[in-house]
Amino acid sequence: MSLPSKLFKSLTRIKKELKEDIDAVFNRDPAARNSLEVILTYPGIHALILHRGAHCLWNNEQKLAARVVSYGSRIMTGIEIHPAAKIGKRFFIDHGVGVVIGETAEIGNDVTLYHGVTLGGVSWNNGKRHPTLEDGVTVGAGAKVLGPFTVGKNAKIGSNAVVVKPVPAGATMVGSAARMISDHHDEKGNPLTTKVQDAKQQEKVAQAGTANTNQTKNSNASTARTTAFQAYGIDPSSQDPVAEAFAKMLEHIQQSENRLDQLQAAMCQLDPDFCKKEYDKLCLEDLDVIGRAEADEADATLK
């Protein structure tokens, strides 16, 4: 098949995929009002159209032309996509500024990226250097996914997370370096705090949809929390593991102090003199070891 025939066939496919891409915008961005507005004003759509053309040129050994188209797209949209990157259907880049997608990156269907996302590499070696995002992945604003590994189906990566290791399907990752805060989701990709084993219960949870939906009668399913789609890849009810650990420690300390107060009250009833005993109080000045050492050093210098 001649090059013009290949390009014409590719353009026909791009036109068909464009309709799906526009539909994806309406499904994921409530600000979108009509198709004309999306085509004219959405940089993610512009970058995707130009990338599909550049990718076609790249695959037909027109690499210089492909790089020129890619460079023009970067200037116009602020989104840099290497023409060799493989991108699936219904791909959506929201806002778009600062998005970088490397040469060997592979993106599945129904993937969403927000502004400032980098799908980058960590080496200068030839071959696979960039991540693979499977179907339904959401990557939040400012997140960095670095290295030749796979982010599993329906996984969510929170804003400003730095991911350098494989991500299981359905997991939610936050932080730098990224930590998993949920490893199971409903069918819509929303994280659940309690894993539901029974298939019928999973179906009920998936149908629940958002947090405002009526609670299911099943006792196990009632403990599962469902959330609506989160624009930046994380569930606002999910607690950071480190913050959660500190919260538990503070709660334990408070419980211990309450218990000590009860013990002291009981001891005072048994021995009235117990409460009259005085204890040395800890002063903040006693903890300022560094400040005291500097003062002593200054006095020694003056002498």
Side-chain angles (χ1 to χ4, degrees):
M1 184 181 294
S2 64
L3 178 59
S5 299
K6 291 180 180 179
L7 293 177
F8 179 78
K9 185 177 180 180
S10 298
L11 289 174
T12 303
R13 186 184 70 253
I14 291 172
K15 181 180 178 181
K16 181 180 179 181
E17 291 175 343
L18 176 61
K19 184 179 184 304
E20 293 183 337
D21 295 332
I22 294 174
D23 290 339
V25 173
F26 286 111
N27 291 333
R28 301 176 216 173
D29 185 3
R33 295 183 297 177
N34 56 69
S35 298
L36 181 61
E37 179 184 83
V38 170
I39 293 173
L40 293 179
T41 65
Y42 274 63
I45 288 292
H46 301 158
L48 189 54
I49 293 172
L50 292 171
H51 169 73
R52 296 200 191 282
H55 187 66
C56 174
L57 291 170
W58 185 273
N59 289 338
N60 286 281
E61 301 303 323
Q62 303 297 315
K63 291 184 168 39
L64 177 59
R67 291 305 299 264
V68 170
V69 173
S70 175
Y71 182 68
S73 174
R74 175 187 176 185
I75 294 174
M76 185 175 72
T77 66
I79 299 170
E80 181 175 349
I81 308 177
H82 193 283
K86 299 177 181 179
I87 296 178
K89 299 178 180 179
R90 298 175 296 279
F91 178 54
F92 179 43
I93 303 176
D94 200 4
H95 305 297
V97 175
V99 169
V100 177
I101 300 175
E103 177 185 9
T104 60
E106 299 177 56
I107 298 175
N109 299 327
D110 303 301
V111 171
T112 302
L113 305 185
Y114 288 84
H115 51 283
V117 168
T118 298
L119 305 183
V122 292
S123 73
W124 293 342
N125 299 328
N126 293 327
K128 179 70 171 174
R129 305 185 304 280
H130 303 91
T132 296
L133 274 55
E134 294 186 344
D135 297 349
V137 170
T138 300
V139 185
K144 316 300 177 189
V145 187
L146 308 174
F149 55 84
T150 298
V151 178
K153 184 177 180 180
N154 292 327
K156 291 178 180 288
I157 297 174
S159 304
N160 297 315
V162 179
V163 182
V164 294
K165 295 180 180 180
V167 178
T172 298
M173 309 291 290
V174 299
S176 176
R179 301 178 298 275
M180 186 188 303
I181 61 172
S182 178
D183 62 352
H184 42 274
H185 295 72
D186 61 20
E187 293 179 358
K188 295 182 180 180
N190 298 318
L192 303 176
T193 55
T194 304
K195 190 171 184 179
V196 183
Q197 300 289 350
D198 185 74
K200 292 183 179 180
Q201 295 173 8
Q202 289 180 351
E203 183 178 357
K204 290 181 180 180
V205 172
Q207 292 174 352
T210 64
N212 293 328
T213 308
N214 293 332
Q215 187 177 18
T216 178
K217 295 181 180 180
N218 186 282
S219 59
N220 288 332
S222 65
T223 61
R225 172 175 47 80
T226 60
T227 60
F229 172 76
Q230 302 303 328
Y232 290 93
I234 59 173
D235 171 17
S237 300
S238 297
Q239 180 65 279
D240 184 283
V242 176
E244 190 173 25
F246 275 107
K248 289 181 179 179
M249 290 173 61
L250 292 173
E251 182 181 358
H252 180 73
I253 291 172
Q254 184 62 47
Q255 291 176 353
S256 299
E257 289 183 348
N258 293 338
R259 185 64 173 168
L260 287 173
D261 290 341
Q262 294 174 3
L263 290 173
Q264 184 178 9
M267 289 295 296
C268 289
Q269 292 180 356
L270 295 175
D271 182 8
D273 294 332
F274 181 81
C275 293
K276 297 179 181 179
K277 296 179 181 179
E278 295 184 358
Y279 299 92
D280 294 334
K281 294 183 179 180
L282 185 64
C283 299
L284 293 178
E285 290 78 6
D286 297 334
L287 301 177
D288 191 10
V289 179
I290 297 177
R292 190 167 62 251
E294 291 178 349
D296 294 341
E297 183 179 352
D299 292 340
T301 303
L302 292 175
K303 292 179 180 179

